[in-house]
């Protein structure tokens, strides 16, 4: 979709139906719009695509009534859906390869246009870590950066409190009407009044373990850089740091005592080249030259939503079976699959799309694909 164009209400409903339909994620959504020229045509094609991909049962396509109910619930909670490519959609987030097609926003939408810094870290943070996170958030917000975090216990909560009233953005892993953790409900309401709360998940969605890494990619996608304060070696905060590196963002780490396991992950980040931070000025000095710079898209990002591609005929059974036979549990690059199959790139892509909609394909962040 061309930058700056707003969806009509009818188009927004169709986009919501498509992204809420079974086996449709952000990358698949974009591929479907590129192929069919619009969400409504893609919705009509979903059942047949999934059937051709080998689905053992009919794929669930979200109905207009279901999408209308979610929109009504969102309105009651003050949530609006901003679409990829619309003027209010955050430019930094739009540049990542798996940006949410629709972002539910509650609070100050204008805050999403402000240069931002992520602050993440341990849930079981020490008192010193909490104080450092709160101080960094306060001083960075005073320097003009929005502070982005995940509303979790510990460092996240401290970062939000330090920047409350100055510009804080909470990215939540569940629906906007299912706040987590429960002890942060009051903090969430305060952020909704003075900052912004964002989520890609459906209204009513209770967050599960696998939803938090998805949330983390939005945190790293929204910001110029991520500051990690206290993180163990297997911490989810390190996932955010890795995604930040994949997105071309700066990674900062606060050093800590090697005797405290909560500092093992942050100290490892410093060994791997993260920028050492002891004060907000360290972050400001590194990020100020980046403010206002356009974000580059990753080389392996799917083609932008053009809404104008011609439709090709679906591959015949023999071609589809030949492409599928080349797939297995070991991930392979799509370019290699095209070369080995001898099929046209468009034929391989539509076959992969059919397999994905049938729930048979694992499309990894690296761009490689594997058969489930």
């Amino acid at each position: 979709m061309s930058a700056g164009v707003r969806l009509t209400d009818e188009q927004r409903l169709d986009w919501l139906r498509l992204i809420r339909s079974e086996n449709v994620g952000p990358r698949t959504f974009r591929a479907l719009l590129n192929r069919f020229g619009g969400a409504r045509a893609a919705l009509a094609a979903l059942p047949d695509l999934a059937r051709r991909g080998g689905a053992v049962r009919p794929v669930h396509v979200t109905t207009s009534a279901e999408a209308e109910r979610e929109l009504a619930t969102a309105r009651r909670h003050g949530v609006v859906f901003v679409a990829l490519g619309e003027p209010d959609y955050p430019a930094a987030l739009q540049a990542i390869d798996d940006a949410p097609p629709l972002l539910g926003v509650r609070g100050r939408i204008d805050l999403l246009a402000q240069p931002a810094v992520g602050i993440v870290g341990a849930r079981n943070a020490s008192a010193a870590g909490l104080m450092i996170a709160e101080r960094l958030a306060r001083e960075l917000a005073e320097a003009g950066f929005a502070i982005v975090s995940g509303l979790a216990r510990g460092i996240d909560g401290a970062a939000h409190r330090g920047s409350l009233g100055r510009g804080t953005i909470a990215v939540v892993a569940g629906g906007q009407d299912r706040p987590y953790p429960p002890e942060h409900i009051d903090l969430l309401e305060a952020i909704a009044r003075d900052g912004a709360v964002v989520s890609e998940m459906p209204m009513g969605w209770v967050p599960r373990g696998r939803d938090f890494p998805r949330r983390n990619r939005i945190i790293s996608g929204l910001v110029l850089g991520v500051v990690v304060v206290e993180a163990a070696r297997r911490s989810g905060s390190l996932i955010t740091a890795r995604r930040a590196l994949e997105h071309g963002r700066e990674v900062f780490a606060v050093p800590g005592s090697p005797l405290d396991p909560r500092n093992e992950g942050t100290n490892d980040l410093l060994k791997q080249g993260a920028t050492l931070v002891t004060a907000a000025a360290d972050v400001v000095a590194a990020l100020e030259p980046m403010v206002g710079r356009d974000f580059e898209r990753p080389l392996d990002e799917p083609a932008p939503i053009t809404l104008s591609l011609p439709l090709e005929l679906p591959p015949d059974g023999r071609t589809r079976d030949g492409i599928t036979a080349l797939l297995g549990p070991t991930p392979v690059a799509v370019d290699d699959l095209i070369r080995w199959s001898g099929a046209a790139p468009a034929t391989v892509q539509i076959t992969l799309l059919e397999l994905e909609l049938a729930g048979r394909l694992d499309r990894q962040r690296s761009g490689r694909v594997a058969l489930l």
Side-chain angles (χ1 to χ4, degrees), residues 308-350:
S308 61
L309 296 185
L311 302 185
E312 304 90 2
L313 292 174
D316 59 37
R318 178 178 294 182
T319 303
R320 184 184 296 108
D321 291 344
I323 295 169
T324 305
L326 290 170
L327 292 166
T330 302
V332 296
V334 175
D335 286 344
D336 290 335
L337 198 59
I338 293 169
R339 186 173 70 253
W340 293 330
S341 69
T347 301
V348 173
Q349 292 288 0
I350 188 58

Side-chain angles (χ1 to χ4, degrees), residues 58-349:
V59 67
H60 175 70
V61 178
T62 299
T63 66
S64 295
E66 289 170 331
E68 288 280 14
R69 283 196 294 271
E70 182 174 352
L71 287 172
T73 302
R75 284 192 291 269
R76 287 198 300 272
H77 287 84
V79 176
V80 296
F81 289 105
V82 182
L84 189 70
E86 289 190 313
D88 294 331
Y89 198 94
L93 185 61
Q94 186 163 300
I96 73 173
D97 62 347
D98 52 355
L102 287 173
L103 195 64
V105 184
R106 181 182 173 205
R108 290 178 52 196
I109 294 182
D110 65 290
L111 199 57
L112 302 181
Q114 192 169 319
V117 177
I119 298 180
V120 296
R123 287 178 170 81
N124 62 331
S126 68
L130 294 171
M131 288 189 292
I132 291 169
E134 188 168 339
R135 186 187 71 194
L136 286 173
R138 181 178 64 254
E139 293 177 356
L140 286 169
E142 289 171 348
F145 292 94
I147 302 303
V148 182
S149 199
L151 200 73
R153 303 177 181 93
I155 296 300
D156 288 23
H160 288 308
R161 291 186 181 94
S163 53
L164 196 62
R166 299 177 177 87
T168 191
I169 301 170
V171 183
V172 296
Q176 293 261 16
D177 54 344
R178 290 291 184 269
Y180 181 87
E183 59 265 36
H184 280 176
I185 291 177
D186 289 345
L187 176 60
L188 181 66
E189 292 303 316
I191 295 171
R193 287 192 298 272
D194 298 321
V197 183
V198 303
S199 175
E200 68 175 325
M201 303 306 288
M203 300 297 291
W205 187 267
V206 178
R208 301 167 294 179
R210 66 185 182 187
D211 297 323
F212 293 96
R214 293 183 62 175
R215 174 206 62 184
N216 293 349
R217 92 185 191 290
I218 297 178
I219 294 174
S220 61
L222 283 168
V223 301
L224 295 171
V226 172
V227 182
V228 184
V229 183
E230 293 190 342
R233 280 209 169 97
R234 295 187 178 276
S235 167
S237 300
L238 299 186
I239 297 176
T240 309
R242 284 196 296 272
R243 294 307 302 269
L245 289 172
E246 292 172 6
H247 297 154
R249 311 306 198 241
E250 294 295 315
V251 174
F252 306 88
V254 176
S257 169
L259 300 177
D260 189 338
R262 288 172 292 199
N263 293 317
E264 289 178 347
T266 44
N267 289 343
D268 284 348
L269 285 175
L270 291 169
K271 292 176 186 176
Q272 295 161 15
T275 301
L276 187 148
V277 171
T278 58
D282 300 325
V283 181
V284 173
L287 295 185
E288 269 189 333
M290 300 171 61
V291 174
R293 184 184 302 173
D294 290 338
F295 288 88
E296 295 183 1
R297 298 182 183 275
L299 293 178
D300 62 348
E301 184 189 1
I305 296 172
T306 63
L307 306 186
S308 61
L309 296 185
L311 302 185
E312 304 90 2
L313 292 174
D316 59 37
R318 178 178 294 182
T319 303
R320 184 184 296 108
D321 291 344
I323 295 169
T324 305
L326 290 170
L327 292 166
T330 302
V332 296
V334 175
D335 286 344
D336 290 335
L337 198 59
I338 293 169
R339 186 173 70 253
W340 293 330
S341 69
T347 301
V348 173
Q349 292 288 0

